[in-house]
């Protein structure tokens, strides 16, 4: 029987599917698109939280509105550059609205209930409501001064900046991936925290979805009527999600513990409680002048004991991690940028307190200190080292 025409080695017939070599990447089909590159590993979610909490800690060290505004702009730029297209990433706008509400409420309390800050620049004098003798120290109405309003503005802006920084962490970090990174001893508590953190993003996503559906049907989605018609489906969705979460946790054996000898349990409890007490005593020593000598050693010993207790406690919660997140060089850069902002602003608050805490009595215009402002700009580093995830 005659055989077909032979072909040179290394060639293949038309339409033949190439066979990949051992250990190599499968080649693309003839005329087809090139294989997609492997996606880059995501940033560890703990790095985002440490970065955001460091910015929030820096916000507590100053009442300068220019520096606080710069911190807000820094977090907003990083969120706009790096946040993924996920439901929890949309919660940042809700935290911004909450921060604005806190600022307005703080100013309202300063106007309605008065302020202990003395002032000479009277803006308006409201009718004062007389109160009984047992309510001494509280007043309703009265004189509203510019000094009192500026002090309330500075104080409310500091809290608003802290809320916006927490919102940035919620928008950037995947809460379920953060749960995987917790030690085994904190797993059950971490589940509760993650469920609480995902409540607001899921609620916002449900409200947006239902409002869009009502607009498509030509029904009102604003006002009291729209709120009432949206509220019931949102509550129903939250209950269904809770039941599904409980079923999933029960199916995966949530809450099971391994058999650990009684002496190990006692040692774990003693190390954890003793370590936490040591951390409290060491922190108190660092904050007081008398305990400056023993504060740092006690704090380090308490941290070591607490970490040892958490490591032993993790043996009671056997679980595995699928594709655990790696703490790579990018995570160190993101965390280091936030810690640097907090450390430099803490140093600036001790070196030049007047620049970071502008006075209100007498009323003076705040100035922007140069090197603390440059320190805040270090928080922009994640926007340049972390590319935005594709949608």
């Amino acid at each position: 029987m005659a055989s077909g025409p032979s072909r040179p080695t290394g060639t293949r017939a038309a339409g033949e599917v190439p066979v990949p070599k051992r250990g190599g990447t499968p080649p693309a089909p003839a005329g087809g698109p090139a294989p997609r590159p492997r996606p880059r590993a995501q940033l560890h979610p703990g790095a985002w939280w440490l970065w955001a909490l460091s910015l929030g800690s820096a916000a507590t060290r100053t009442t300068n509105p220019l520096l606080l505004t710069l911190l807000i702009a820094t977090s907003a730029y990083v969120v706009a550059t790096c946040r993924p297209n996920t439901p929890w990433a949309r919660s940042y706008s809700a935290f911004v609205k909450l921060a604005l509400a806190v600022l307005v409420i703080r100013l309202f309390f300063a106007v309605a209930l008065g302020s202990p800050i003395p002032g000479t620049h009277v803006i308006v004098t409201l009718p004062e409501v007389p109160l009984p003798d047992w309510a001494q120290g509280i007043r309703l109405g009265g004189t509203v001064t510019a000094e009192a309003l500026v002090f309330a503005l500075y104080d409310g802006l500091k809290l608003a900046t802290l809320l916006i920084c927490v919102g940035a962490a919620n928008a950037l970090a995947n809460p379920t991936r953060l749960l995987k990174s917790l030690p085994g001893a904190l797993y059950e508590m971490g589940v509760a925290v993650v469920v609480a953190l995902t409540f607001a993003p899921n609620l916002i996503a449900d409200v947006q979805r239902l409002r869009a559906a009502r607009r498509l049907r030509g029904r009102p989605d604003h006002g009291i009527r729209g709120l009432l018609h949206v509220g019931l489906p949102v509550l129903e969705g939250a209950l269904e999600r809770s039941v599904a979460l409980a079923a999933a946790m029960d199916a995966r054996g949530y809450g099971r513990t391994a058999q650990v000898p009684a002496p190990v349990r006692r040692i774990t409890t003693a190390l954890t409680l003793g370590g936490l007490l040591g951390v409290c005593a060491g922190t108190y020593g660092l904050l007081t002048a008398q305990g400056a000598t023993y504060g740092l050693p006690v704090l380090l010993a308490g941290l070591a004991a607490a970490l040892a207790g958490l490591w032993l406690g993790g043996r009671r919660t056997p679980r595995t991690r699928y594709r655990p997140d790696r703490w790579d060089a990018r995570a160190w850069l993101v965390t280091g940028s936030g810690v640097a902002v907090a450390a430099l602003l803490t140093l600036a608050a001790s070196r030049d307190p007047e620049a970071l805490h502008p006075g209100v009595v007498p009323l003076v215009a705040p100035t922007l200190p140069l090197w603390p402002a440059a320190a805040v700009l270090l928080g922009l580093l994640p926007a340049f080292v972390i590319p935005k995830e594709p949608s």
Side-chain angles (χ1 to χ4, degrees), residues 47-63:
W48 283 126
W49 271 100
L50 291 176
W51 171 82
L53 292 179
S54 298
L55 292 187
S57 176
T60 62
R61 310 306 300 173
T62 179
T63 56

Side-chain angles (χ1 to χ4, degrees), residues 65-122:
L66 301 179
L67 287 177
L68 293 174
T69 305
L70 190 59
L71 281 169
I72 294 175
T74 299
S75 66
Y77 182 78
V78 173
V79 169
T81 305
C82 302
R83 70 173 172 179
N85 188 16
T86 52
W88 64 82
R90 306 186 189 116
S91 62
Y92 184 74
S93 59
F95 278 91
V96 173
K97 294 177 182 178
L98 178 61
L100 291 176
V102 168
L103 185 59
V104 171
I105 292 173
R106 182 66 180 87
L107 291 174
F108 173 77
F109 282 166
V111 172
L113 303 179
S115 175
I117 303 299
T120 57
H121 299 79
V122 179

Side-chain angles (χ1 to χ4, degrees), residues 88-264:
W88 64 82
R90 306 186 189 116
S91 62
Y92 184 74
S93 59
F95 278 91
V96 173
K97 294 177 182 178
L98 178 61
L100 291 176
V102 168
L103 185 59
V104 171
I105 292 173
R106 182 66 180 87
L107 291 174
F108 173 77
F109 282 166
V111 172
L113 303 179
S115 175
I117 303 299
T120 57
H121 299 79
V122 179
I123 298 178
V124 65
T125 301
L126 301 176
E128 188 171 353
V129 178
L131 297 176
D133 296 336
W134 53 267
Q136 293 296 327
I138 303 175
R139 68 177 179 86
L140 296 177
T143 303
V144 180
T145 62
E147 290 82 356
L149 282 181
V150 170
F151 176 80
L153 176 65
Y154 291 172
D155 195 37
L157 187 59
K158 180 170 67 174
L159 181 57
T161 306
L162 182 59
L163 287 173
I164 290 176
C165 291
V166 174
N170 277 274
L172 292 169
N174 188 335
T176 56
R177 289 175 49 226
L178 180 64
L179 176 63
K180 291 197 308 180
S181 305
L182 291 177
L186 300 178
Y187 179 71
E188 296 182 1
M189 184 180 67
V191 170
V193 173
V194 168
V195 171
L197 289 176
T198 55
F199 172 75
N202 289 330
L203 185 66
I204 294 169
D206 287 346
V207 171
Q208 292 176 349
R209 176 176 54 82
L210 290 171
R211 289 181 61 184
R214 290 185 63 84
R215 284 195 299 267
L216 290 175
R217 295 184 177 96
R219 298 177 182 177
D221 61 325
H222 292 85
I224 302 299
R225 183 179 178 182
L227 180 63
L228 292 176
H229 285 84
V230 169
L232 185 60
V234 168
L235 179 61
E236 181 181 359
L239 292 176
E240 291 179 354
R241 192 163 48 247
S242 300
V243 173
L245 177 63
M249 292 168 65
D250 182 67
R252 293 168 183 168
Y254 174 76
R256 71 187 188 277
T257 57
Q259 295 294 332
V260 178
V264 176

Side-chain angles (χ1 to χ4, degrees), residues 207-389:
V207 171
Q208 292 176 349
R209 176 176 54 82
L210 290 171
R211 289 181 61 184
R214 290 185 63 84
R215 284 195 299 267
L216 290 175
R217 295 184 177 96
R219 298 177 182 177
D221 61 325
H222 292 85
I224 302 299
R225 183 179 178 182
L227 180 63
L228 292 176
H229 285 84
V230 169
L232 185 60
V234 168
L235 179 61
E236 181 181 359
L239 292 176
E240 291 179 354
R241 192 163 48 247
S242 300
V243 173
L245 177 63
M249 292 168 65
D250 182 67
R252 293 168 183 168
Y254 174 76
R256 71 187 188 277
T257 57
Q259 295 294 332
V260 178
V264 176
R265 291 200 301 268
R266 298 191 189 99
I267 294 175
T268 301
T269 304
L271 285 175
T272 305
L273 293 180
L276 294 178
L277 290 176
V279 169
C280 294
T283 304
Y284 177 78
L286 290 177
L287 295 177
T288 58
Q290 295 80 7
T293 56
Y294 68 86
L296 184 59
V298 173
L299 177 61
L300 294 178
L303 285 175
L307 291 176
L310 291 177
W311 178 76
L312 287 176
R315 299 174 60 184
R316 298 188 59 197
T317 310
R319 63 189 185 96
T320 58
R321 293 184 178 93
Y322 178 67
R323 291 182 181 178
D325 293 310
R326 303 296 182 183
W327 192 277
D328 53 6
R330 297 179 303 155
W332 283 113
L333 287 174
V334 171
T335 305
S337 65
V339 172
V341 173
L344 290 176
L345 280 191
T346 302
L347 179 62
S350 60
R351 293 287 184 86
D352 192 7
E354 295 181 358
L356 269 70
H357 300 277
V360 295
V361 181
L363 194 62
V364 295
T367 59
L368 182 64
L370 293 181
W371 75 267
V376 172
L377 294 180
L378 292 177
L380 292 173
L381 183 62
F384 301 99
V385 299
I386 307 298
K388 186 175 182 179
E389 298 179 7

